[in-house]
Amino acid sequence: MPFTTNLLHPLPNDLTNEVFTELLQQGAVRIERIVSNGHVSLADFWYDQDENEWVLLLVGEGEIEFADGERVRLRQGDALNLPAHTRHRVTFTSRPAVWLAVFY
Amino acid sequence: MPFTTNLLHPLPNDLTNEVFTELLQQGAVRIERIVSNGHVSLADFWYDQDENEWVLLLVGEGEIEFADGERVRLRQGDALNLPAHTRHRVTFTSRPAVWLAVFY
């Protein structure tokens, strides 16, 4: 019988670093939970991914900056689609912020 | 620039029927929001899907019954993977219950 995994409880105790948990991987699809705790991208770091990413903020808030300088604030329930090679960086996360990421 | 969609606000006003909203469709991947409001599967109805489905309960509670008679209760944050042709039916949803479904 299928079994459930809860994405909200428990959260990792040690959030010194962001915690990435793979929930599913099959073929070209990968689902991850990402728990941030005030973490932001390093200065001048840009994500430039080969995969498309659809991201949903489950808990808290975050902010993503794009290469054109625009910043998008995300709140609980907000989803954003990031096509492959959309250069972006994370400029704010609440303590904590829980993201669901679907790479495809 | 990418734009955000909020999955929690607003919910549909008319929940006479379950509301399925496609959020993403690309290749073999489809992401949907499903808003239930006490809806359950009809007696003797079984989902028997050609696609794999990974489901996450964003709001509320639900219960899924499997062909072997086992029932799994889902609460907020619970995720469940349903491989293709896992026969199942929905036996309870809260008012409302908001699901995220990734078909792959």
Side-chain angles (χ1 to χ4, degrees), chain A residues 2 5 15 19 23 26 35-36 39 42-44 47 51 63-64 70 72 74 78 89 94 97 99-100 102:
Chain A
T5 305
L15 290 172
V19 177
L23 304 168
Q26 186 169 317
V35 183
S36 310
H39 300 91
L42 295 178
D44 300 324
Y47 287 100
E51 297 169 290
E63 188 184 71
I64 295 179
E70 293 265 15
V72 173
L74 290 112
D78 277 338
R89 54 196 300 275
S94 55
W99 310 79
L100 181 78
V102 180

Side-chain angles (χ1 to χ4, degrees), chain A residues 37-95:
Chain A
N37 197 44
H39 300 91
V40 298
S41 302
L42 295 178
D44 300 324
F45 172 83
W46 294 92
Y47 287 100
D48 186 359
Q49 304 174 134
D50 291 333
E51 297 169 290
N52 303 299
E53 179 180 359
W54 184 89
V55 70
L56 168 64
L57 196 53
L58 297 175
V59 171
E61 296 193 19
E63 188 184 71
I64 295 179
E65 182 180 5
F66 295 92
D68 63 2
E70 293 265 15
R71 294 185 177 206
V72 173
R73 191 83 173 193
L74 290 112
R75 295 178 178 80
Q76 187 172 29
D78 277 338
L80 186 66
N81 188 44
L82 299 166
H85 300 296
T86 301
R87 282 161 52 90
H88 65 282
R89 54 196 300 275
V90 177
T91 46
F92 173 78
T93 60
S94 55
R95 297 173 179 264

